[in-house]
């Protein structure tokens, strides 16, 4: 009986030691993985939902007066698909839809009348981003690129044209791995109507 008790105690002691060693190893591996993956980099999708204001005669007013008032702003919704090049730079493709409301001067007979007007635009573009300053989770960045604006309907007076953009913003990697939130301000120069559109957007990004 005594021998059986000794053998049982030896087996239990060995089992406890093995379990403790395995647990310690798992904690070390888990800590190492958590540290490596605390902020994700790689392929990502990013959405923007904000407001757009236009500076200039975007609708081709005969009088030359601003045809889209700064207030109220129009909605702007976008989606970006990109890839990180290290930790401070990235490239992306994007599609952004926006709506502009305002007025337009039209000639009817020998009279010029001001009528209400609105247009929808779709900006398809490519660009890059560079982080000027980064901390553990927060990044301050600049971005720039170019694309083409498709305008609808034709009767709105908004011309489809080449567009260039540049802007800046902040992005924060949340404790929910893969997710980042941010805020950005981007200025877009519409070459056709020679107008500037400024878009202010909160952002949400998911990195795979």
């Amino acid at each position: 009986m005594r021998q059986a008790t000794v053998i049982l105690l030896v087996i239990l002691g060995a089992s406890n030691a093995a379990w403790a060693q395995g647990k310690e190893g798992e904690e070390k591996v888990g800590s190492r993985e958590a540290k490596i993956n605390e902020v994700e980099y790689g392929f990502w999708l990013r959405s923007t939902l904000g407001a757009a204001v236009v500076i200039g005669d975007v609708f081709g007013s005969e009088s030359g007066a601003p045809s889209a008032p700064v207030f109220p702003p129009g909605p702007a919704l976008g989606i970006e698909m990109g890839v990180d090049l290290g930790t401070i730079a990235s490239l992306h493709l994007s599609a952004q839809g926006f709506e502009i409301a305002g007025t337009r001067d039209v000639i009817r007979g020998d009279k010029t009348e001001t009528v209400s007007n609105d247009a929808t635009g779709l900006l398809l573009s490519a660009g890059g981003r560079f982080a000027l300053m980064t901390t553990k989770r927060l990044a301050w960045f600049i971005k720039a690129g170019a694309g083409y604006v498709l305008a609808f309907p034709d009767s709105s007076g908004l011309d489809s044209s080449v567009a260039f953009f540049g802007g800046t913003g902040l992005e924060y990697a949340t404790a929910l791995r893969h997710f980042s939130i941010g805020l950005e301000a981007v200025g877009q120069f519409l070459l056709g109507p020679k107008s500037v559109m400024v878009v202010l957007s909160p952002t949400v990004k998911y990195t795979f």
Side-chain angles (χ1 to χ4, degrees):
M1 184 69 180
R2 221 178 257 178
Q3 291 178 346
T5 303
V6 171
I7 293 173
L8 180 61
L9 290 175
V10 170
I11 292 174
L12 290 175
S15 299
N16 288 334
W19 180 85
Q21 185 175 2
K23 188 67 176 177
E24 183 180 356
E26 288 178 3
E27 290 178 352
K28 288 181 178 179
V29 172
S31 300
R32 183 167 64 250
E33 288 181 350
K35 184 176 182 180
I36 292 173
N37 298 323
E38 191 169 359
V39 178
E40 298 285 346
Y41 295 98
F43 175 74
W44 48 264
L45 290 175
R46 183 169 176 263
S47 64
T48 62
L49 176 60
V53 297
V54 176
I55 303 171
D57 182 18
V58 70
F59 291 139
S61 169
E62 294 294 331
S63 65
S67 52
V70 173
F71 188 86
L77 172 66
I79 184 74
E80 293 180 355
M81 176 179 63
V83 61
D84 291 316
L85 306 177
T87 60
I88 62 174
S90 64
L91 298 175
H92 69 267
L93 299 174
S94 67
Q96 182 188 64
F98 58 88
E99 186 175 351
I100 303 172
T103 60
R104 184 185 180 200
D105 289 348
V106 296
I107 298 176
R108 293 177 178 172
D110 57 351
K111 295 182 180 180
T112 300
E113 297 182 8
T114 300
V115 297
S116 60
N117 195 50
D118 63 83
T120 299
L122 176 63
L123 173 61
L124 303 176
S125 63
R129 194 178 83 167
F130 182 82
L132 296 176
M133 182 180 68
T134 61
T135 63
K136 186 177 182 179
R137 291 185 178 273
L138 185 66
W140 169 40
F141 64 87
I142 58 173
K143 62 185 295 186
Y148 193 80
V149 173
L150 301 173
F152 311 93
D154 294 336
S155 59
S156 67
L158 177 64
D159 296 328
S160 297
S161 70
V162 174
F164 301 94
F165 67 85
T168 185
L170 294 172
E171 190 169 77
Y172 177 77
T174 69
L176 294 174
R177 284 180 51 213
H178 303 279
F179 282 97
S180 299
I181 58 174
L183 180 67
E184 69 174 28
V186 178
Q188 302 173 357
F189 178 68
L190 310 180
L191 191 60
K194 294 183 175 60
S195 300
V196 175
M197 183 170 68
V198 179
V199 181
L200 179 65
S201 302
T203 67
V204 177
K205 184 173 79 172
Y206 182 84
T207 304
F208 292 87

